[in-house]
Amino acid sequence: MSRIDNTKWDLSELAPESETDFTNKLNETVNAAKEFGLKYRGRISSLSADELHTAIVEYEQLQTNALKPQYYAHLVFAEDSTSKSARKLSQEAAETGNLLTRELLFFDIEVMAIPDSQFEFLKKAPSLVNYCHYIASIRKYQPYTLEEREEQLLKLKDLTGCTAFTRLFDELSASFKFSMEIDGKAQEFSGEELLGYLHHPDRELRERAFTIFLDKHCEQSLVYSTIFNTIALDHAKEMELRGYSHPMQPTNIGNELPDEAVENLMRVSEANYPAAQEYFRLKASLLGVDKLKNTDIYAPLGESPKKYSFDEARDLVVEAYSGFNQEYRAIIEALLSGGRVDVYPRVGKSGGAFCMGISPDIKPYILLNHTENLRDVATLAHELGHALHFTLSGKQNLINYHAPLPLAETASVFSEILLTRLMLDAESDPKVKIALLCAKIEDIIATTLRQVVLTRFEQKLHLERSAGLLSDARICELWLEENGKLFGNSVDMIDAYRWGWSYISHFIHTRFYCYSYTFAELLVLALYRQYQLKGAEFLPGYDAILTSGGSLSPADTAALAGIDITEPEFWQSGYDILAGLVVELKGLV
């Protein structure tokens, strides 16, 4: 395939003609929302099925018109949060988005107020068949929703509350510059570049790089502890106002998962911590050390780990799809054709990686921080899996475009498994096979068990904050306690790791997001097992999951591939595959 010349985004598809044009586009969406309110406020429960369908389509178009300026602002800010222009656009978009939400709040509130008997009648109307799940998903929140004026006030206060603190977190974290000496010479690094050294063969360098990274966050402990305390307090007060019984309940309702099912997932995961500890001891022997430090978990085996240029990484991912589904391969190649991927780390750029799905008629954008290690190849596969998912769910309307949160990681994790299997099958050197198996096992542990650690920490943070202000020392203690349960006596945590909570953006951006990774990983392991058994017969069910977007609940979506997520054995089956990989690794060793 042709090479990519541009390793940064081409945002011309979204870009306004000028900052004035940007402001005008935002104002147009607000004016349209006000007109929508004048037309429908107070009337939703009296609409016929066809009239309600018309209202939803108009509502959908409102959202569509707001997307380009909103997402453009988000992406230019992610490119460089130090840019004054990007910061201005981002803030303007955030304020307008908040106003737009307040103008349209009445719609959700009035949909919730439709009598149950009337809703049962509406569900049978042909014109609403594509919107039934959407309407039902709104109505779940009826017991926890306030009057419209109160809802508007809460949204308005968000601008100077949790939204402002989220923005502070992002800008502070992206502003960091790190200095580290290598071979006697001081060099400057971004945070992502330092974290990339966790995959370096030099043990001392791994620990030094991670310590420097975490110490910089420690220097801002007052700011970070204030942000975390404020976010947790804001969440607690809103839950109190709405009548929720525990901090995770809003997330579980949004995910359409019963509290009991989520808790069962967490407990089954915790029961499998010993499998991770067994692997950590095996990894220590492979590295020739008595005991791992947590900076050794992702260490490569051997002195010269292979580097993967972005071109090499891209070609591997494309090849992985060649053996799976040629139609998917064509989609992946089109996504990589240029201007949709921002590849390399730099100061001011957002850390980590993400894939931004905007709407059914706009191709997704991918942010990477490629530093040429094996994990970066898996990250590319992961984000391209998201992009494939967004492309296939583009067959839905905008309201059903985004998959429910527990299924949002399905295609991304499946993509990583395809890549690993390709690399394992193509490799004849036992040492390289061992390294690949280690990388996959580490990835499964990170995507399942570690996410449960993060979720338990977040639970405790919120519960303790409801009783009073938490010191930074106490937050550190909670962090080490939960990580210690996973590591047991198989891993020593470096002293600076007490600040490991401070840079994880999921805690700030999306409350209790992390367990969705566990759900998705275990689901994908079950799906991949089906693929191994059924071959091509598996593809229609898998395709149905990806194309369904958010048109169904997680349980109904998984059922398209013959999976029942209510069965307790479902969760354990994924961990059985992890145990099998550890056995396979032992055999190679």
Side-chain angles (χ1 to χ4, degrees):
M1 60 184 289
S2 60
R3 295 300 180 202
I4 298 174
D5 295 319
N6 184 7
T7 56
K8 292 185 179 180
W9 288 324
D10 174 7
L11 299 179
S12 57
E13 180 182 11
L14 305 177
E17 296 177 3
S18 63
E19 288 193 8
T20 300
D21 181 49
F22 175 82
T23 300
N24 289 340
K25 282 182 165 59
L26 290 177
N27 290 338
E28 287 169 8
T29 64
V30 173
N31 291 335
K34 290 178 179 179
E35 291 176 9
F36 181 82
L38 290 173
K39 183 176 181 180
Y40 288 109
R41 190 185 302 274
R43 296 185 54 227
I44 298 302
S45 63
S46 65
L47 298 179
S48 68
D50 289 346
E51 289 171 332
L52 181 57
H53 172 264
T54 299
I56 292 174
V57 171
E58 290 179 23
Y59 178 84
E60 201 170 27
Q61 188 59 51
L62 273 172
Q63 302 289 352
T64 300
N65 293 340
L67 290 175
K68 281 191 175 182
Q70 292 278 351
Y71 278 94
Y72 175 75
H74 179 90
L75 291 171
V76 295
F77 183 77
E79 280 185 316
D80 183 8
S81 65
T82 65
S83 162
K84 291 182 180 180
S85 174
R87 292 168 68 179
K88 178 179 180 295
L89 293 178
S90 177
Q91 183 63 32
E92 187 176 353
E95 292 179 9
T96 305
N98 185 282
L99 175 57
L100 190 65
T101 299
R102 285 184 276 126
E103 290 290 344
L104 296 173
L105 269 173
F106 81 91
F107 185 72
D108 282 4
I109 292 172
E110 292 191 28
V111 167
M112 292 177 199
I114 296 173
D116 290 342
S117 58
Q118 184 180 347
F119 176 57
E120 290 302 313
F121 174 78
L122 291 171
K123 284 198 301 186
K124 300 173 184 176
S127 60
L128 291 175
V129 66
N130 289 330
Y131 295 101
C132 279
H133 178 252
Y134 163 70
I135 297 171
S137 67
I138 293 175
R139 291 170 62 81
K140 293 178 307 190
Y141 290 101
Q142 194 277 333
Y144 312 102
T145 299
L146 309 176
E147 297 296 326
E148 182 183 351
R149 180 59 178 164
E150 294 171 317
E151 291 287 350
Q152 287 184 333
L153 290 172
L154 283 175
K155 289 295 181 185
L156 183 62
K157 288 295 291 180
D158 276 349
L159 283 173
T160 52
C162 62
T163 300
F165 279 92
T166 299
R167 185 179 183 84
L168 174 61
F169 175 89
D170 289 341
E171 291 190 17
L172 176 64
S173 300
S175 71
F176 288 161
K177 298 177 182 179
F178 302 87
S179 179
M180 183 171 71
E181 188 176 288
I182 297 181
D183 298 328
K185 181 180 179 181
Q187 299 181 37
E188 189 173 277
F189 298 89
S190 69
E192 286 299 320
E193 288 172 323
L194 273 190
L195 291 175
Y197 276 95
L198 288 172
H199 301 267
H200 196 277
D202 186 325
R203 192 183 199 198
E204 185 275 333
L205 186 57
R206 290 195 299 270
E207 183 172 348
R208 181 153 49 93
F210 200 31
T211 299
I212 289 170
F213 176 81
L214 293 170
D215 282 349
K216 175 72 75 172
H217 290 73
C218 172
E219 291 171 11
Q220 298 291 337
S221 61
L222 175 62
V223 180
Y224 280 114
S225 61
T226 300
I227 291 172
F228 275 68
N229 269 285
T230 303
I231 291 290
L233 179 61
D234 179 88
H235 186 63
K237 293 304 179 185
E238 183 165 337
M239 282 197 312
E240 184 181 322
L241 285 170
R242 296 184 181 282
Y244 288 113
S245 59
H246 64 85
M248 282 180 63
Q249 192 177 7
T251 301
N252 295 346
I253 291 173
N255 290 342
E256 300 182 76
L257 295 173
D259 296 341
E260 296 80 6
V262 175
E263 183 61 25
N264 186 42
L265 163 65
M266 305 270 281
R267 288 177 178 170
V268 170
S269 297
E270 289 167 323
N272 282 274
Y273 282 177
Q277 294 163 14
E278 180 184 10
Y279 170 73
F280 294 145
R281 294 187 187 97
L282 182 58
K283 179 71 177 276
S285 67
L286 288 169
L287 291 174
V289 298
D290 293 333
K291 189 177 185 182
L292 290 186
K293 295 182 179 181
N294 62 308
T295 48
D296 299 325
I297 290 173
Y298 305 111
L301 301 175
E303 292 299 317
S304 300
K306 183 176 178 180
K307 294 287 187 179
Y308 296 86
S309 70
F310 181 66
D311 286 344
E312 291 171 323
R314 179 192 53 195
D315 290 346
L316 279 169
V317 177
V318 170
E319 187 180 350
Y321 275 96
S322 298
F324 177 60
N325 186 320
Q326 286 293 333
E327 291 183 12
Y328 289 179
R329 171 185 171 149
I331 293 172
I332 294 292
E333 288 187 307
L335 290 165
L336 287 166
S337 62
R340 318 304 295 195
V341 186
D342 192 307
V343 179
Y344 298 110
R346 56 186 179 272
V347 173
K349 179 180 173 180
S350 292
F354 66 71
C355 178
M356 182 67 68
I358 299 175
S359 71
D361 59 346
I362 298 175
K363 290 182 181 179
Y365 288 87
I366 294 173
L367 180 139
L368 304 171
N369 279 278
H370 191 81
T371 57
E372 299 193 340
N373 61 52
L374 178 60
R375 181 62 205 150
D376 291 328
V377 187
T379 298
L380 176 61
H382 184 99
E383 300 307 335
L384 283 170
H386 277 307
L388 172 69
H389 199 162
F390 282 127
T391 302
L392 293 174
S393 67
K395 297 175 183 178
Q396 301 289 336
N397 51 44
L398 178 65
I399 278 176
N400 291 329
Y401 173 57
H402 288 277
L405 197 58
L407 297 175
E409 300 294 332
T410 304
S412 56
V413 176
F414 198 94
S415 184
E416 288 190 63
I417 293 180
L418 290 175
L419 173 71
T420 299
R421 198 70 259 169
L422 167 77
M423 297 178 76
L424 279 171
D425 292 345
E427 189 55 61
S428 58
D429 186 338
K431 291 183 179 179
V432 178
K433 278 182 173 286
I434 288 171
L436 290 170
L437 266 175
C438 285
K440 188 64 224 172
I441 291 169
E442 289 158 13
D443 179 70
I444 293 175
I445 291 172
T447 315
T448 56
L449 302 179
R450 182 170 185 268
Q451 300 307 314
V452 171
V453 168
L454 300 187
T455 304
R456 289 299 195 201
F457 162 79
E458 193 174 5
Q459 280 182 318
K460 289 191 173 181
L461 175 82
H462 281 260
L463 289 171
E464 286 207 17
R465 180 60 187 92
S466 65
L469 186 72
L470 295 174
S471 67
D472 53 12
R474 180 55 184 156
I475 300 175
C476 290
E477 287 175 3
L478 293 175
W479 175 254
L480 293 179
E481 285 171 8
E482 289 308 313
N483 279 272
K485 293 175 183 177
L486 172 60
F487 293 143
N489 62 3
S490 65
V491 176
D492 287 331
M493 292 177 279
I494 65 170
D495 185 63
Y497 191 57
R498 65 183 59 251
W499 299 100
W501 54 272
S502 62
Y503 71 94
I504 298 175
S505 61
H506 284 323
F507 296 150
I508 304 301
H509 286 205
T510 313
R511 236 68 66 224
F512 301 103
Y513 181 92
C514 295
Y515 79 74
S516 294
Y517 285 105
T518 307
F519 185 107
E521 180 77 40
L522 297 178
L523 172 64
V524 167
L525 290 172
L527 288 171
Y528 189 76
R529 182 59 181 155
Q530 282 196 357
Y531 172 53
Q532 288 179 314
L533 295 172
K534 296 181 179 180
E537 294 180 12
F538 162 81
L539 292 176
Y542 182 67
D543 192 73
I545 287 179
L546 301 190
T547 56
S548 69
S551 61
L552 300 169
S553 70
D556 289 341
T557 305
L560 296 173
I563 289 176
D564 183 356
I565 65 171
T566 64
E567 294 181 357
E569 297 80 8
F570 166 70
W571 305 117
Q572 184 57 47
S573 66
Y575 289 119
D576 291 343
I577 292 177
L578 171 62
L581 290 173
V582 174
V583 170
E584 184 179 352
L585 176 62
K586 284 181 174 180
L588 284 171
V589 172

